[in-house]
């Protein structure tokens, strides 16, 4: 899997985290992927994707803690 962008989420201020992720996701073309790296389970972000981009994304955990969480997010539409 090739990633168009990798975002290390802890590098961003709290108010910038989700907007930065969604801006990068929106810039992907259908079939492209981004990766996020975080210091906790980004489950709330997954729920936000379900509400704001339903049926337009895929979500695959690549690493599930306990210190590092990596998720591949793909654009499906």
């Amino acid at each position: 899997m090739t990633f168009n962008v990798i975002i290390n989420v802890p590098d961003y201020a709290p108010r910038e985290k989700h907007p930065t992720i969604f801006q990068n996701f929106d810039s992907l073309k259908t079939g492209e992927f981004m990766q996020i790296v975080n210091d906790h389970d980004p489950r709330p972000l997954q729920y936000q994707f379900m509400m704001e981009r339903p049926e337009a994304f895929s979500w695959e955990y690549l690493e599930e803690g306990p210190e590092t969480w990596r998720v591949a997010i793909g654009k499906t539409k």
Side-chain angles (χ1 to χ4, degrees):
M1 183 179 302
T2 302
F3 299 105
N4 291 64
V5 65
I6 297 174
I7 298 173
N8 188 32
V9 180
D11 289 350
Y12 294 86
R15 64 183 174 79
E16 297 174 354
K17 292 177 192 236
H18 287 202
T20 298
I21 292 165
F22 277 96
Q23 286 170 1
N24 279 276
F25 176 80
D26 290 342
S27 72
L28 296 175
K29 296 180 178 128
T30 300
E32 293 182 336
F33 293 87
M34 63 186 285
Q35 181 184 141
I36 61 167
V37 181
N38 208 358
D39 57 4
H40 64 274
D41 187 353
R43 183 80 57 194
L45 177 66
Q46 184 181 20
Y47 295 143
Q48 187 175 355
F49 264 95
M50 292 169 144
M51 295 298 295
E52 296 185 15
R53 307 291 189 280
E55 301 176 23
F57 75 100
S58 63
W59 182 278
E60 179 185 350
Y61 283 99
L62 304 173
E63 186 175 348
E64 295 185 65
E67 294 181 17
T68 301
W69 298 76
R70 293 185 311 119
V71 178
I73 304 171
K75 190 163 196 176
T76 59
K77 294 187 178 182

